[in-house]
């Protein structure tokens, strides 16, 4: 069965802390997406990965194909990073499967 | 570009009524996706199109749901008849090149069926 698990479900941290959100999946994939959903509901695609590492500003996404695991890191976290972060995985030729999301709250 | 445009942003209707949600993808994008988000089930892919052709509709919950893409700049998701359990936020997204590429999401339509 194609499964996607995210951890933690909820994360609260102080401004400036280094944040890590994890995503594990059950079988081989074609691609993995990290999405950000703001408190207002809008969804933004942060990264699409099939291997290695990508960086955009304070955000870094990594994927380990052998371990079937991806991480999203936020450096120097800020209250505006507060959002739900969702991992979505494309298994082979099947449809995107979404994780349940990690709700991140950054306290000033 | 204005991004993906969805209308209406909010819809409140009574059980049994027909509901039509609309989406305008980013110009030039050849993939269009319809998603549904609920508290219980999170985000789910309902259907996606490539070059206006439905490719995978296995996520459409039942025959009450239908989607069309008559041209490259417009798609509709119709629910007839609507039921309270259809209450959710419906997102449209588009991408260029493949299913695996970055998807750009619309603001969503919040549907409430009373």
């Amino acid at each position: 069965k194609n499964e996607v698990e995210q951890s933690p479900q909820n994360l609260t941290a102080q401004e400036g802390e280094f944040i890590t959100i994890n995503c594990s999946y059950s079988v081989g994939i074609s691609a993995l997406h990290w999405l950000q959903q703001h408190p207002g509901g809008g969804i933004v695609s942060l990264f699409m990965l099939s291997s290695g590492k990508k960086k955009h500003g304070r955000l870094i996404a990594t994927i380990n194909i052998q371990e079937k695991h991806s991480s999203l890191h936020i450096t120097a976290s800020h209250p505006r990073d507060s959002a739900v972060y969702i991992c979505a995985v494309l298994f082979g030729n099947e449809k995107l499967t979404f994780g349940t999301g990690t709700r991140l709250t950054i306290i000033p | 570009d204005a991004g993906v445009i969805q209308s209406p942003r909010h819809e409140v209707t009574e059980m049994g009524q027909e509901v039509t949600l609309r989406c305008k993808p980013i110009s030039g994008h050849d993939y269009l996706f319809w998603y549904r988000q609920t508290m219980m089930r999170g985000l789910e892919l309902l259907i996606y199109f490539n070059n206006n052709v439905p490719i995978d509709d296995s996520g459409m919950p039942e025959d009450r749901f239908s989607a069309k893409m008559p041209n490259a700049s417009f798609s509709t998701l119709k629910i007839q008849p609507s039921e309270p359990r259809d209450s959710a936020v419906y997102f449209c997204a588009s991408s260029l090149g493949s299913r695996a590429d970055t998807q750009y999401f619309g603001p969503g339509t919040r549907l409430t069926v009373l």
Side-chain angles (χ1 to χ4, degrees):
Chain A
K1 183 180 175 183
N2 298 336
E3 294 182 337
V4 180
E5 291 188 1
Q6 280 188 244
S7 64
Q9 286 190 333
N10 293 283
L11 178 57
T12 300
Q14 293 286 333
E15 182 174 356
E17 286 190 38
F18 182 82
I19 302 299
T20 296
I21 299 170
N22 298 297
C23 177
S24 297
Y25 48 91
S26 54
V27 297
I29 65 170
S30 299
L32 182 145
H33 299 257
W34 281 103
L35 310 174
Q36 179 192 54
Q37 186 165 30
H38 292 282
I43 297 176
V44 175
S45 178
L46 298 175
F47 295 104
M48 190 281 291
L49 294 163
S50 55
S51 64
K53 173 181 173 179
K54 288 189 176 180
K55 184 177 188 294
H56 182 70
R58 295 179 295 106
L59 301 177
I60 303 166
T62 64
I63 188 168
N64 184 319
I65 300 298
Q66 288 73 30
E67 297 291 325
K68 298 185 179 60
H69 179 268
S70 175
S71 292
L72 177 67
H73 305 286
I74 306 174
T75 62
S77 59
H78 189 277
R80 65 175 176 268
D81 298 326
S82 298
V84 176
Y85 293 83
I86 302 169
C87 170
V89 175
L90 185 62
F91 293 101
N93 286 324
E94 299 188 23
K95 58 187 180 183
L96 268 180
T97 302
F98 293 87
T100 53
T102 295
R103 183 175 300 276
L104 175 65
T105 303
I106 303 297
I107 300 171
Chain B
D1 200 311
V4 176
I5 299 172
Q6 290 187 247
S7 65
R9 295 292 306 276
H10 301 271
E11 176 82 23
V12 179
T13 191
E14 292 188 345
M15 184 174 64
Q17 296 297 306
E18 177 179 298
V19 175
T20 299
L21 311 181
R22 297 173 175 80
C23 175
K24 182 181 189 309
I26 292 173
S27 178
H29 281 193
D30 51 357
Y31 281 83
L32 183 139
F33 307 82
W34 281 103
Y35 295 96
R36 178 173 69 175
Q37 186 178 38
T38 61
M39 290 292 292
M40 291 295 294
R41 300 172 67 91
L43 267 169
E44 302 173 283
L45 176 65
L46 300 178
I47 185 171
Y48 78 92
F49 296 82
N50 177 218
N51 291 322
N52 313 338
V53 176
I55 302 300
D56 183 353
D57 65 354
S58 60
M60 296 285 263
E62 48 197 273
D63 292 345
R64 297 184 298 106
F65 286 69
S66 63
K68 294 182 179 179
M69 193 166 185
N71 57 62
S73 60
F74 183 66
S75 177
T76 59
L77 178 68
K78 187 175 293 187
I79 308 173
Q80 166 63 17
S82 58
E83 296 183 3
R85 60 193 166 120
D86 302 330
S87 297
V89 180
Y90 291 81
F91 289 98
C92 175
S94 69
S95 70
L96 177 64
S98 80
R99 296 179 303 127
D101 283 341
T102 299
Q103 296 185 18
Y104 297 83
F105 285 76
T109 295
R110 182 173 296 277
L111 173 66
T112 303
V113 183
L114 303 174

